[in-house]
């Protein structure tokens, strides 16, 4: 693979999204040029203001329907790399295809466009997820990049629209990432580019978008908001997850663009595991007023069931994303306050 370096041009899909806005920022700061795709220019006007200092190193193009064949044919022309972040991440689903079709077809559509019209493209970075890696387990397990969440795919096949929305989301990310690797394997003799998948858990930290109302908050920031404002039962607060700072995931995309050894790799980028109760205990320590309390201290010392390897992010991207959970919580709450969200 030919090494990519600034001022190469990167296509970032879904550029107005919570993560993608940070990805664009990090590429521009690193000296790359960025072409962002959005569904609506009016909804994304804030990006032109935010990145106006970068002049013609930043441009936006409209791709209205990412699932259409040829949707990205024009957008990929002249770019050296592609960061494909656009994919639905919400739980307002009535049937699995609400998430699975845009996730899978959005991915194959951009890879097809890169195959046919991306003669300069040398690398594609796919924003996958840790939910494409781990599956639910009753006994403690350590997951690595060699694991796949086939359980979610099977559950959705069996239950169809009765599957819970989070499982449907997990299946959408698993199927989309598998489709990408299968595409690369099927076209290996024709494509001058390689693939890297980034697999983050819950991404937290301040949003760069205006997101003026709570309705516009993205799903992962909403996870913190709902926990702090008392939307979880005590039983749910005993649930666990893992998280990483949004700036770190964005930086991972940039480093995955030029790290030659990242070629063909899935890379888990995670900071640490947490119990939902921990968020409430840390909010209390931070003196944040009016937040739910749950059962303080009830998760102290309990081992996590889902554990993940983080070696590759360090070895291939030089990332050790060890931000304290307390810090990202404080940053997110400051963001909620700035935006005047109810309860803060
Ligand atoms: P956002 O909802 O903030 O952004 C999603 C982006 O994808 C938006 O630009 C959105 O466009 C676009 N998009 C969604 N659905 C479609 C569709 N059907 N057709 C075209 N574009 C679409 O999400 P995040 O920033 O949180 O997530 C970005 C990526 O990161 C996703 O791939 C997600 O799966 C992945 N991810 C996110 C994590 C997190 O905790 N946030 C964790 C792990 C992975 P529009 O604004 O027009 O709807």
């Amino acid at each position: 693979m030919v090494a990519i370096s600034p001022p190469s041009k990167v296509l970032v899909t879904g550029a107005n999204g919570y993560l993608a806005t940070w990805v664009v920022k990090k590429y521009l700061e690193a000296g790359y040029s960025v072409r962002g795709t959005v569904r609506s220019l009016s909804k994304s006007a804030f990006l032109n203001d935010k990145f106006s200092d970068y002049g013609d190193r930043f441009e936006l193009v409209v791709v209205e329907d990412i699932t259409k064949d040829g949707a990205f044919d024009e957008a990929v022309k002249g770019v050296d790399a592609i960061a494909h972040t656009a994919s639905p991440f919400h739980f307002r689903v009535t049937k699995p295809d609400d998430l699975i079709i845009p996730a899978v077809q959005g991915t194959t559509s951009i890879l097809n466009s890169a195959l046919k019209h991306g003669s300069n493209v040398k690398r594609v970075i796919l924003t996958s997820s840790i939910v494409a890696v781990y599956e639910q387990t009753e006994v403690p397990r350590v997951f690595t990049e060699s694991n796949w969440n086939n359980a979610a795919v099977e559950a959705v096949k069996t239950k169809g629209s009765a599957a819970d929305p989070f499982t449907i989301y997990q299946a959408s990310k698993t199927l989309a990432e598998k489709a990408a690797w299968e595409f690369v394997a099927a076209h290996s003799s024709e494509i001058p580019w390689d693939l890297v998948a980034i697999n983050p858990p819950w991404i937290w930290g301040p949003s760069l978008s205006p997101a003026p109302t709570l309705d516009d908050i993205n799903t992962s920031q909403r996870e913190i908001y709902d926990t702090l404002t008392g939307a979880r039962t005590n039983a749910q607060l005993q649930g666990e997850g893992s998280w990483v700072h949004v700036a770190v995931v964005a930086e991972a995309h940039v480093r995955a663009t030029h790290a030659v050894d990242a070629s063909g790799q899935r890379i888990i980028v995670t900071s640490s595991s947490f119990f939902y109760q921990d968020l409430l205990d840390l909010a209390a320590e931070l003196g944040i007023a009016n937040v739910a309390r749950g059962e303080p201290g009830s998760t102290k010392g309990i081992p996590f069931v889902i554990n993940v390897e983080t070696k590759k992010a360090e070895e291939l991207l030089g990332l050790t994303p060890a931000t304290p959970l307390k810090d990202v919580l404080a940053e997110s709450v400051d963001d909620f306050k700035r935006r005047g969200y109810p309860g803060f």
Side-chain angles (χ1 to χ4, degrees):
M1 181 232 162
V2 184
I4 303 171
S5 57
S8 295
K9 185 174 276 194
V10 185
L11 182 71
V12 178
T13 65
N16 62 305
Y18 164 70
L19 169 63
T21 313
W22 274 92
V23 170
V24 171
K25 177 178 187 285
K26 290 283 182 180
Y27 273 126
L28 291 170
E29 285 173 356
Y32 287 92
S33 297
V34 173
R35 177 182 297 156
T37 75
V38 293
R39 285 202 275 194
S40 142
L41 278 183
S42 57
K43 194 171 140 188
S44 311
F46 74 95
L47 291 169
N48 287 321
D49 292 342
K50 186 161 287 299
F51 301 124
S52 59
D53 286 354
Y54 295 98
D56 62 6
R57 279 178 49 214
F58 177 67
E59 62 177 325
L60 280 180
V61 296
V62 172
V63 175
E64 268 170 13
D65 182 357
I66 63 171
T67 64
K68 267 200 188 147
D69 275 352
F72 292 101
D73 281 1
E74 285 304 311
V76 299
K77 287 180 183 167
V79 302
D80 303 281
I82 296 170
H84 180 51
T85 83
S87 199
F89 183 19
H90 59 77
F91 304 134
R92 301 178 301 279
V93 289
T94 53
K95 55 184 187 313
D97 279 354
D98 292 346
L99 300 186
I100 291 174
I101 291 210
V104 175
Q105 289 185 11
T107 301
T108 51
S109 165
I110 197 159
L111 298 183
N112 259 311
S113 292
L115 170 68
K116 292 182 188 146
H117 300 279
S119 52
N120 284 1
V121 175
K122 296 165 201 75
R123 178 159 285 179
V124 176
I125 301 99
L126 175 71
T127 313
S128 186
S129 169
I130 195 95
V131 303
V133 173
Y134 79 80
E135 52 190 28
Q136 290 310 325
T137 169
E138 298 294 314
V139 290
R141 275 183 67 182
V142 178
F143 292 90
T144 71
E145 285 88 350
S146 64
N147 295 113
W148 283 95
N149 189 354
N150 295 317
V153 177
E154 285 308 313
V156 171
K157 261 193 210 155
T158 310
K159 295 183 188 164
S161 298
D164 75 273
F166 191 43
T167 305
I168 293 173
Y169 171 68
Q170 294 182 341
S172 79
K173 295 304 284 182
T174 305
L175 291 168
E177 195 195 325
K178 283 194 170 189
W181 291 115
E182 282 160 15
F183 187 100
V184 168
H187 296 280
S188 60
S189 61
E190 304 157 82
I191 50 175
W193 43 267
D194 56 13
L195 180 69
V196 182
I198 302 293
N199 299 77
W202 290 112
I203 301 173
W204 286 341
S207 165
L208 298 177
S209 91
T213 73
L214 196 52
D215 290 340
D216 298 315
I217 193 173
N218 88 303
T219 300
S220 51
Q221 284 290 86
R222 180 86 203 201
E223 194 72 5
I224 299 186
Y225 180 88
D226 284 348
T227 304
L228 297 187
T229 53
R232 316 232 177 277
T233 62
N234 284 345
Q236 288 169 335
L237 290 170
Q238 302 296 305
E240 66 180 64
S242 48
W243 73 279
V244 62
H245 198 287
V246 63
V248 172
V249 184
E251 180 64 23
H253 283 67
V254 175
R255 294 192 188 186
T257 308
H258 51 239
V260 175
D261 292 346
S263 176
Q265 299 287 332
R266 311 175 80 198
I267 306 176
I268 294 170
V269 179
T270 184
S271 189
S272 64
S273 298
F274 66 93
F275 291 101
Y276 282 80
Q277 178 65 48
D278 299 344
L279 296 176
L280 300 186
D281 294 351
L282 289 170
E285 274 179 36
L286 286 163
I288 300 166
N290 303 324
V291 296
R293 291 288 173 241
E295 296 176 297
S298 57
T299 48
K300 285 269 171 320
I302 299 180
F304 295 106
V305 176
I306 293 174
N307 302 279
V308 285
E309 275 283 1
T310 57
K311 270 196 289 211
K312 270 205 204 172
E314 193 172 345
E315 286 169 7
L316 299 175
L317 306 181
L319 283 171
T320 44
T323 331
L325 180 57
K326 198 172 174 176
D327 291 0
V328 81
L329 186 66
E331 281 185 70
S332 292
V333 168
D334 282 349
D335 205 29
F336 300 158
K337 284 185 186 159
R338 228 180 1 252
R339 294 164 196 283
Y341 291 162
F344 291 96

